[in-house]
Amino acid sequence: MGNILRLIIGVPIALIVTFALFALMQRLIFVEEVEIDDAGDEYSFDINPQVEEVNARTRDTSIEDVQQVDPPPPPPQIERQAADLPTESLSTIVGNIPEFDTPELNSGNVSFNVSDRDAQPLVRIPPQYPVRAAERGLEGYCDMLFNVSPDGTPVDIQATNCTSSMFERSSIRAVERWRYSQRIVDGVPQMRRGVQTRIEYELSD
């Protein structure tokens, strides 16, 4: 019963509130017509105005006003005198060229052969001291025998006499890196055979 009573009372109140809100919204959105007065010709604008023509001053450059200038006269012609050819011969003026005897090359007194020479050492790199010999404090030498090829390279290297076999290998390797000048005989490089040398091994203090 109470729920029905509240429903009956609430419906008219809701209708009244809805109507009031509708009237208020109608008043807010109502727009009065505003009449725009005709401004007339007082505020007229010209979009494409015409520019007044300006008369520019022109300079009169007629040909009649230009003064004519006479060209300068040509330079005077100078008469050139031809040179006279000599009437005497060149031998009269300078003299006769003396005659020389043609030297005879390759005669018995002249020789162009390179003088003979023996092979000479150019590069001699010292050997490396053997590690085992250095550790033992061993000193000594090796006598070497080898030939020198025509291009100055040692070949057929032999260690003929060594105080210790520890020095043989290092001595042969050292001689392999040596270089000699060529042995020349009658201007031709030749093989130099039987070169002997001694390589000594000494420990520094």
Side-chain angles (χ1 to χ4, degrees):
M1 186 69 180
N3 292 334
I4 296 173
L5 182 62
R6 283 196 298 271
L7 181 62
I8 295 172
I9 297 172
V11 170
I13 295 174
L15 293 175
I16 294 171
V17 172
T18 302
F19 179 76
L21 291 174
F22 178 77
L24 179 61
M25 292 179 65
Q26 287 283 41
R27 184 175 183 81
L28 291 174
I29 65 176
F30 176 73
V31 179
E32 296 182 357
E33 293 184 359
V34 179
E35 296 181 358
I36 300 174
D37 296 336
D38 189 6
D41 298 335
E42 183 177 356
Y43 298 100
S44 62
F45 298 94
D46 191 357
I47 298 176
N48 297 318
Q50 290 185 350
V51 180
E52 297 181 359
E53 295 183 358
V54 179
N55 295 327
R57 295 181 60 185
T58 58
R59 184 176 181 181
D60 188 7
T61 56
S62 60
I63 300 176
E64 297 177 354
D65 296 339
V66 179
Q67 296 181 359
Q68 295 183 357
V69 179
D70 296 333
Q77 297 292 333
I78 300 175
E79 184 179 356
R80 297 181 180 179
Q81 185 178 2
D84 296 334
L85 296 175
T87 57
E88 298 180 358
S89 62
L90 183 61
S91 60
T92 306
I93 300 173
V94 179
N96 295 329
I97 299 175
E99 297 180 358
F100 296 94
D101 295 333
T102 305
E104 294 181 3
L105 300 178
N106 293 332
S107 61
N109 297 329
V110 181
S111 176
F112 293 95
N113 294 330
V114 179
S115 60
D116 296 345
R117 70 183 183 204
D118 197 3
Q120 299 295 330
L122 298 177
V123 179
R124 299 188 69 174
I125 300 175
Q128 293 183 354
Y129 212 103
V131 178
R132 289 188 302 168
E135 291 175 352
R136 298 180 183 180
L138 186 63
E139 297 182 345
Y141 62 85
C142 259
D143 291 331
M144 308 301 297
L145 177 65
F146 55 92
N147 301 327
V148 178
S149 66
D151 63 354
T153 304
V155 293
D156 303 329
I157 305 170
Q158 299 178 12
T160 58
N161 181 28
C162 293
T163 57
S164 175
S165 59
M166 298 180 185
F167 299 137
E168 292 183 5
R169 188 173 182 181
S170 60
S171 300
I172 294 174
R173 286 185 175 181
V175 175
E176 288 176 347
R177 294 182 293 175
W178 290 2
R179 291 297 177 267
Y180 282 75
S181 63
Q182 300 172 330
R183 181 193 179 202
I184 304 298
V185 178
D186 296 333
V188 179
Q190 300 289 336
M191 176 76 76
R192 174 66 165 87
R193 300 182 184 277
V195 180
Q196 297 182 9
T197 186
R198 172 175 286 187
I199 299 177
E200 297 183 354
Y201 293 86
E202 296 180 355
L203 294 172
S204 59
D205 296 337

